Amino acid sequence: MVTTDRFAGERLKLSPFYPRQEELNIREAWSSWNGYKFAEYYYDVEYEYFCVRNLCGTYDICPMQKYEIKGPDAEAMLNRMVTRDVGKIGMHRVAYCMWCTDEGRMIDDGTVFRLGPDRFMLTCGSPSIAWLEKSSFGFDDVVVTDITDDMAALSLQGPTSYAVLKKLGLDGIETAKPFDIRVFPYHGSQLMVSRTGFTGDLGYELWVEHDLGLTMWDELYKAGADYGIQPYGEAATNMARLEAAFIMPDMEFNEALKTVHFQHDQTPFELSLGWLVDFRKPHFSGRAALLEEKRRGPTYTLTKLDIEGNRPAEGAHIYSNKRCNREIGYVTSAMWSPVAKANIALAMIRTEHLDGPLWAEIYYEKELRHHSRVVPCEKQSKPFWAPARARATPPPEY
Amino acid sequence: MGRYDSIIVGAGHNGLVCGAYLARNDQKVLILEAADEAGGLAASREFHPGYTTSIAQSVSHFSEQVSRDLNLAAYGYDRGTTALPLIGLGASGKHVVVEAKSVQGVGDDDAMEYTGYTRQLEKFADALQPFWLKTIPRIGPGGLRDVLTFAHLGLSLRKLGKADMREFMRVASLPARDLVEENFSSELLKATLSWDMLTGAKMAPRSPNSSVLLMLYRLAEQSRGTHTIPSGGVPGLIAAIQKSAQASGVEVRCSTAVEKITVAGDENGLQVTGVTTTAGEQISADRVISATDPTRTFIDMIGVEYLDIGFTNRIRRLRCDGFVGKLHLALSKLPGFTGLDTPNARMIIAPNVDAIEFAYDDAKYGRCSDDPVMEIVLPSLIDASLAPDGGHVLSANVMYVPRALKGGWTAAAREQILNRCIEVISAYAPDIRDCMVHAEFLTPEDLENEYRITGGHWHHTEIAMDQMLMMRPTYEAAQYRTPIPGLYLCGAGCHPGGDITGAAGHNAAHEILR
Amino acid sequence: MSHYDAIVIGAGHNGLANAAYLAKAGLKVLVVEKNSYIGGAAVSRELQAGWKYSSCSYVCSMMRQAIHRDLDLSRHGLLLVPYLGTVNFGDGDERLFAYQDEEAAHLELKRHSPHDADAMHRFQTDLTRYSQLIRKTLMRTPPDPTSFKPRDIMELLFLAKQFWGLGEKQIYEYVRFFTMSAAEYLDDYFENDMIKAAMASPGIIGTALGVYSPGSSYILLHHVMGDVDGSIGAWGLARGGMGAISDAIASALQEHGGEIRTDAGVHRVLVEGRRATGVVLENGDEIQSRIVVSNLDAKRTFTKIVDKADLPDGIYEKAANFKIRGSSGKVNIALSGMPKFTGVPDNPYLNRGGQGFNGSLETMEKAYDCWKRGRWSDDPFIESVIPSAWDPTVAPAGQHWMSNFIQYCPPTLADGPWTAEKRDQFGQTVIDKIERYSPGFKDLIVHMEVRTPHEIENEIGLTEGNIFQGELTIDQLFFNRPFPGYGQYRMPLKNLYMSGSSTHPGGGVSAVCGANAAREILRDLRRPNTVPEDDFYDE
């Protein structure tokens, strides 16, 4: 094909859903993710957020990196790479995993889909093919393929998501428990549905081959018309995930291979994700370092905070007293939670100060005048938002 | 049979030395060797009926301490009393003869300069000498002993005096060419002296950073870089070490190739349990010590599933491609070398430094130079038993011969390099063809296959500043211990590196016994 | 007979910076320059009416912002503009575009190799880490490791602390990086030869090493550790050409009362009892001075303008052995229009950058092989920039000037000395290669200036035409630069200092060598320091 676009080389890629997204994104609020043109929001951030919490919304996960890992050594290869025991992932089940450097610093997190005895799909936020190539070296019989661009994937999240899938005619979806995978025949191909997501709510992720993407979108929107289906963008996702206390790269963690300064990356224990590290496995990459980290205790601990007042604590420093002369941490993400009616935050706090008082120094602006305020914070042990429907099987209709 | 304290994989000289030390400290030691005799690259090789040699063709800085500790003299090791002169073969018989303290065949200036040059290098070599037989600690987390090692090194250098210490820090990273250019004017002398800074490594005369350190390593011990051929050839030394080891109770089993080093794992982590041989036999031990190269050890025998990914990647990236070919000629009589009474010497064929550089230029693109440079010895001049009556063996290290030849090592490619070598030699020994009974040429690929060394590299992996000291073969395996409990390294891939020195075996044993 | 506090020999940008800081401290300073113009290798010269060539150095990234600000160079007319959109040319039709946007850059790399696109993140992270460490040493005088003086020990401890901050494994990685060849180091990251070649090319610029020579990865770092406004690896153009940098520093110098005398080559440094006392000019004028600063390279200083008899034993030999190898050529071309390159989209972002005619690693290495044999390659590595795409002051409107830097070009040819004819043949080789990628290029040529190491040495006075005033190998870096024991800008004769790129931190239009030397001089003179102690960017 002859292109006449003299900037073609510098343009972002378009998702298979782009024709629909383009129409719906009347604010032209585009950003980018992994080379794809990507909606920051479509219409209004709060509107989209409430769609997810009240009805259902779709979130384009085409730019998310997807790798097929196949072959008799696939399980061994993954098991050595990630900190969880891949052998314990049942057939057609998904597990949230992370993988670390030899030093036990987190490279990235993602989900591992077990699609067969010798076949897995790994999804993650950033390109990881170089690490996967390193990880598969030395295994005779495993093939890693980047299938990101071969697939169309859409996340459907919110209380009516189950009803929409029923309406779409996916019989048996009611038996899908969280992290289950179901596969349905679809236009001569397959529609894979996993009960997964990044909102902490009831939700599913839908996976089809690239060329069926638009068909799926249209059919889903048709089925969802009566259930308030709407697209939502990056901004609403970020709100929902924070309420669920999920971590984000560049917010809660730096990818270790992209971290310049010594130990400015994080360990699973620092991120309060020690439960993902399975020391019953005799070996995985970073095990020795992580064992040492567990023994010594992490320097920082990611902590959920409920903060007094309503001013979001974005970028706030955490102190051990109200006079703010002893800094013990910093806020990584913060917002006013509309569902919890709370001023919530995730913060990295020096572990030895976790049990003491926590004060946040918040800077805010009121009609161009800038203020600061020191307020007490309360630690939370549970996510800020964890509705029972997210775990119920079968889920309630809405 | 019973359980062994230690199994050593590979009966090269380092494996034998390591085993001997362990057995002397009451360990029950088994050494497994895939070949049908011990020695690795120093094992004897009958390449033609009645004609015997070994890949390692002479000995220079074999550790005197190891020799004493293991009482090798009692087991028949005789270093050889006369050092082989190093001769740079010149056109029409005008050679340069280099001996420990003097050089002939060059102008007065060069001859004078040579004294100062060797004195300076020997002084540097002396400062480093204690560190070849020591574990080089990690930077940082170690205890008092580690700090003392570094303090000792600092003090050793400082004791050179201000001027020499400064000079050391400049000279240490010079390329061979710059060092000889600064000191000498004779092209032939420069090339001849460059040889020992380069041979065995993927380094050319213009390559900075590592050749002087390699030279200083080779200047260790009283031999001061001079070479000898022990009685029985280099295999004679191996026989002595083997006897000493066996006398201490080491069991050496040949023709037994190790397929896997077995690792057990549970929630307490990993532990080496022993080995499995290619014949399927399982032998258990408290620890396994690998004298084979790091790549083979970790990637093939252990398996990546037991290793961290970053570590695996560093092992995978070790630069292991050998660049030295080996020429063996079976000769019916002693060939005449123009201008030499007897060719009882290490003879270098490299008319000038550029000749070495240009031979390297071809090899770096995976080609074989039409003008190879080489180092020749005739071990049968020292030990007549290596050849039939009246016959002789010529053994040569030929540089630079790429392991991965573009187009592969076909029969035609081998024939071509062999012929070129003989042509080159015949310029200095015109009757060489008349004396030839048989010839063989071994490429690094051959060494890899026949001697089971990744890349066919003499030193198991390149001796270069980035793969030296506490980074040899790579950090986290540089103190002879490895990330896997119970697995140790003791081969040339460890500090201080290859050549027949016994240092790596010695150091590993001491680390294990600590 | 006039008398000065300080005479600086050579009005290169480092000499001018040195003089400016001395003048700022209140010293009576004179800079003497053999040429009729100042700037040394940082010059803008109108060799063709209407065109201003940066005839030697052509881009800059190491110029320290601390000095820029401190000498108020912006007010003195200096504007540094980062340029972007470099195109890398493969041996054949392949092209690799350096897009500014991170996403676009990633997609472009992915087009060549998905693996390498991912690996690039790690490469740049690591390079940034190494750059940050080494940048901390730039504006500091190297310690003498053999010394027990508190200042040297403190400085060694400072360095140890910086290294320690890397973490144990990164210390090893740093040593690896410092000593390996660019090509082998890049093997750790990349698999695509085109990408490797593009990344390796800074590793050979200005040096007598090849991409496969150990030590070339440090050269790579030396070229990318600079920055423009904190963006590491970015390259800037000086508005008005590189001479604008020298002119701005000269203007600052003059404002502080310093003097510059051109057409005043130095014949000899005056020495009395191992103490420099002034200079004799080529015209016979004697000028006395309390201190003398040589901005010439180390070899030239001690083998040409200081009498051997005046030197302590061994210094002349050290200077004679100082490695300063000519390896680069330069072809400056005035063009009647903007050249078009095949396979490069005609858009304003791409065509305003540079061109890297890298070919492959093998092409670059073969060019080095030719250099070793005293020839130039038929297929040399060329790094080009068209500054007129950014700078309206260097060529008539609608017309352009193109700077072409060539690696390698030997200082002496195997088949006899350089002649005008051979020089032109060399130039022809370069334009033939560019024509291969830009058919019709030759028709655009209005004027062309070819500089081999021979021309560079004769005109600028860089021995052998070496652009760094001495090879950047470990034996000549940091406290070894220029010679062990003389790494602190003080030379073997009392009151004699060096301020050029032969001193730490080496080549590049950085003004750091001159500034650091000034700091040491002021210290010896017990004058308050006027030189900034450090850069102000927090990394």
Side-chain angles (χ1 to χ4, degrees), chain A residues 28-55:
Chain A
E28 298 280 352
W30 299 106
S31 66
S32 63
W33 181 16
N34 289 338
Y36 280 89
K37 190 169 175 179
F38 196 75
E40 180 65 22
Y41 58 93
Y42 289 84
Y43 185 72
D44 177 81
V45 175
E46 205 173 18
Y47 170 77
E48 290 165 28
Y49 160 81
F50 274 112
C51 271
V52 171
R53 290 289 181 241
N54 178 42
L55 299 158

Side-chain angles (χ1 to χ4, degrees), chain B residues 173-397:
Chain B
S173 66
L174 280 186
R177 182 191 174 94
D178 290 349
L179 183 62
V180 294
E181 287 280 350
E182 282 182 7
N183 286 285
F184 305 108
S185 58
S186 155
E187 279 300 325
L188 187 55
L189 177 63
K190 286 190 265 187
T192 307
L193 292 176
S194 297
W195 188 268
D196 284 341
M197 298 187 226
L198 305 171
T199 184
K202 190 194 175 189
M203 279 189 291
R206 283 185 189 269
S207 308
N209 293 355
S210 306
S211 27
V212 171
L213 289 176
L214 179 58
M215 184 71 205
L216 294 178
Y217 171 47
R218 287 173 169 163
L219 285 176
E221 304 295 336
Q222 284 305 307
S223 59
R224 292 297 188 199
T226 58
H227 287 234
T228 53
I229 296 177
S231 62
V234 182
L237 168 58
I238 298 299
I241 308 173
Q242 184 172 356
K243 279 182 206 148
S244 167
Q246 283 166 330
S248 314
V250 173
E251 190 183 331
V252 181
R253 215 196 292 171
C254 292
S255 308
T256 312
V258 170
E259 169 95 33
K260 281 279 176 199
I261 297 169
T262 50
V263 180
D266 56 22
E267 71 277 7
N268 296 317
L270 303 175
Q271 173 66 40
V272 159
T273 56
V275 301
T276 315
T277 67
T278 45
E281 185 185 358
Q282 286 185 17
I283 313 174
S284 33
D286 291 344
R287 70 186 66 74
V288 172
I289 306 153
S290 175
T292 65
D293 69 82
T295 313
R296 200 160 278 256
T297 304
F298 287 111
I299 309 294
D300 299 343
M301 292 183 176
I302 290 286
V304 297
E305 62 269 33
Y306 297 118
L307 302 169
D308 280 2
I309 294 165
F311 180 85
T312 307
N313 188 54
R314 295 204 305 278
I315 296 294
R316 173 191 185 184
R317 296 283 173 217
L318 288 176
R319 285 171 285 130
C320 296
D321 271 6
F323 277 84
V324 189
K326 195 72 211 285
L327 175 73
H328 292 145
L329 299 182
L331 305 170
S332 57
K333 58 179 185 177
L334 190 64
F337 280 78
T338 314
L340 283 184
D341 297 337
T342 164
N344 192 7
R346 277 204 305 149
M347 296 172 287
I348 306 295
I349 299 184
N352 51 50
V353 177
D354 273 347
I356 308 178
E357 184 77 30
F358 296 166
Y360 174 78
D361 284 347
D362 288 310
K364 72 188 170 191
Y365 305 117
R367 285 189 290 273
C368 220
S369 175
D370 279 339
D371 298 301
V373 291
M374 63 186 85
E375 171 196 3
I376 300 171
V377 292
L378 282 84
S380 51
L381 284 170
I382 309 270
D383 186 337
S385 73
L386 299 174
D389 273 355
H392 279 282
V393 170
L394 181 148
S395 172
N397 294 320

Side-chain angles (χ1 to χ4, degrees), chain A residues 99-107 256 266-269 285-287 289-290 293, chain B residues 308:
Chain A
W99 45 102
C100 296
T101 61
D102 292 12
E103 297 76 42
R105 321 297 300 186
M106 187 165 137
I107 295 172
Q266 288 71 30
T267 70
F269 295 101
S285 205
R287 186 181 189 274
L290 286 170
E293 167 90 357
Chain B
D308 280 2

Side-chain angles (χ1 to χ4, degrees), chain B residues 18 131-143 145-147 149-150 287-290 294 298 311 314-315 467-484 486-491 493-496 503-514, chain C residues 168-169 172:
Chain B
C18 182
F131 303 95
W132 307 127
L133 281 182
K134 262 190 206 307
T135 301
I136 307 296
R138 288 167 59 182
I139 299 173
R145 183 170 169 271
D146 293 355
V147 175
T149 304
F150 286 123
R287 70 186 66 74
V288 172
I289 306 153
S290 175
F298 287 111
F311 180 85
R314 295 204 305 278
I315 296 294
Q467 301 189 159
M468 256 182 206
L469 304 172
M470 68 286 272
M471 294 184 294
R472 185 165 184 85
T474 181
Y475 50 88
E476 294 178 311
Q479 286 77 30
Y480 309 96
R481 264 171 248 99
T482 68
I484 300 186
L487 176 70
Y488 295 81
L489 302 179
C490 75
C494 309
H495 171 76
H506 163 275
N507 295 355
H510 281 75
E511 206 57 41
I512 291 161
L513 292 170
R514 237 177 86 197
Chain C
E168 186 192 356
K169 289 188 182 182
Y172 304 133

Side-chain angles (χ1 to χ4, degrees), chain A residues 27-89:
Chain A
R27 305 282 179 237
E28 298 280 352
W30 299 106
S31 66
S32 63
W33 181 16
N34 289 338
Y36 280 89
K37 190 169 175 179
F38 196 75
E40 180 65 22
Y41 58 93
Y42 289 84
Y43 185 72
D44 177 81
V45 175
E46 205 173 18
Y47 170 77
E48 290 165 28
Y49 160 81
F50 274 112
C51 271
V52 171
R53 290 289 181 241
N54 178 42
L55 299 158
C56 74
T58 67
Y59 180 67
D60 183 2
I61 48 174
C62 293
M64 190 163 68
Q65 301 295 293
K66 305 163 198 83
Y67 302 95
E68 183 189 52
I69 297 163
K70 210 164 96 173
D73 287 336
E75 184 180 318
M77 177 243 152
L78 275 172
N79 233 344
R80 179 247 209 163
M81 184 175 108
V82 306
T83 57
R84 279 183 93 167
D85 193 340
V86 175
K88 290 185 184 152
I89 307 174

Side-chain angles (χ1 to χ4, degrees), chain B residues 137-141 158 161-163 165-167 169-171 173-175 177-178 181-182 202-204 206-210 313-314 317 319 354 357-362 364-365 367 406 464-467 470-471 475-476 479, chain C residues 122 144-148 164 168-173 175-180 184 187-190 208-209 212-215 318 321 323 325 361-362 365-369 371-373 473-476 479-480 483-486:
Chain B
R138 288 167 59 182
I139 299 173
R158 192 61 188 83
K162 225 176 166 106
M165 177 179 171
R166 284 172 172 161
E167 186 63 2
M169 286 188 297
R170 184 185 75 91
V171 164
S173 66
L174 280 186
R177 182 191 174 94
D178 290 349
E181 287 280 350
E182 282 182 7
K202 190 194 175 189
M203 279 189 291
R206 283 185 189 269
S207 308
N209 293 355
S210 306
N313 188 54
R314 295 204 305 278
R317 296 283 173 217
R319 285 171 285 130
D354 273 347
E357 184 77 30
F358 296 166
Y360 174 78
D361 284 347
D362 288 310
K364 72 188 170 191
Y365 305 117
R367 285 189 290 273
K406 271 193 182 152
M465 224 188 255
D466 60 299
Q467 301 189 159
M470 68 286 272
M471 294 184 294
Y475 50 88
E476 294 178 311
Q479 286 77 30
Chain C
R122 188 171 69 95
D144 176 354
T146 67
S147 156
F148 293 121
W164 196 243
E168 186 192 356
K169 289 188 182 182
Q170 287 300 335
I171 297 175
Y172 304 133
E173 288 296 333
V175 174
R176 276 165 52 79
F177 173 72
F178 219 85
T179 58
M180 286 174 76
E184 284 165 339
D187 280 343
D188 274 4
Y189 298 88
F190 304 115
L209 297 173
Y212 287 106
S213 306
K318 277 187 205 296
N321 282 333
K323 294 194 290 189
R325 291 167 182 163
L361 288 175
E362 192 164 325
E365 183 70 7
K366 280 182 171 157
Y368 176 53
D369 293 346
W371 178 87
K372 288 194 267 188
R373 288 161 176 80
T473 45
I474 295 177
D475 54 301
Q476 297 191 159
F479 46 65
N480 283 335
F483 321 126
Y486 299 98

